[in-house]
Amino acid sequence: MNTDNILIVALALASVGFLLLILGQAKQIRVLKEENQRLRPVESQDELIADAQEKLKTLGVVKTVKYLREYKGMSMVDAKRLVDTIKE
């Protein structure tokens, strides 16, 4: 084998290795998210809205979205939608 073929094979093996690593990390993230949801205390929608309204009054839009993401585990889209709904 010449050096070009060796380089191609090495790159292909590295690519497969990285793909397997990424898939493993994605699975681990999914498992951790499911465990986080299971362990997080259940909060009613009314409690969540009341909490978000209070934060919106004191913190503003951006920090309320950040709060909902960090402390309530909401996605960026869901947190922004909730804040936009409360604002109106």
Side-chain angles (χ1 to χ4, degrees):
M1 276 187 151
N2 62 23
T3 56
D4 289 340
N5 289 340
I6 293 172
L7 182 60
I8 291 171
V9 169
L11 287 173
L13 289 174
S15 297
V16 169
F18 285 129
L19 179 62
L20 291 173
L21 179 68
I22 291 169
L23 291 174
Q25 292 295 313
K27 180 180 179 184
Q28 186 175 12
I29 289 170
R30 188 182 76 248
V31 167
L32 289 172
K33 282 183 178 181
E34 290 170 359
E35 183 178 356
N36 189 25
Q37 290 292 15
R38 186 177 53 79
L39 295 175
R40 176 167 283 142
V42 176
E43 183 175 33
S44 75
Q45 188 69 14
D46 293 336
E47 291 173 333
L48 180 64
I49 290 171
D51 193 22
Q53 285 173 331
E54 183 62 35
K55 295 296 181 186
L56 188 58
K57 289 177 188 174
T58 59
L59 298 177
V61 173
V62 174
K63 289 188 177 181
T64 300
V65 170
K66 184 176 179 180
Y67 168 80
L68 292 171
R69 292 192 67 223
E70 290 179 359
Y71 295 102
K72 301 297 181 180
M74 296 178 75
S75 70
M76 174 69 87
V77 173
D78 291 338
K80 181 71 170 107
R81 283 182 186 154
L82 178 61
V83 170
D84 288 344
T85 301
I86 293 170
K87 271 190 341 186
E88 296 172 353

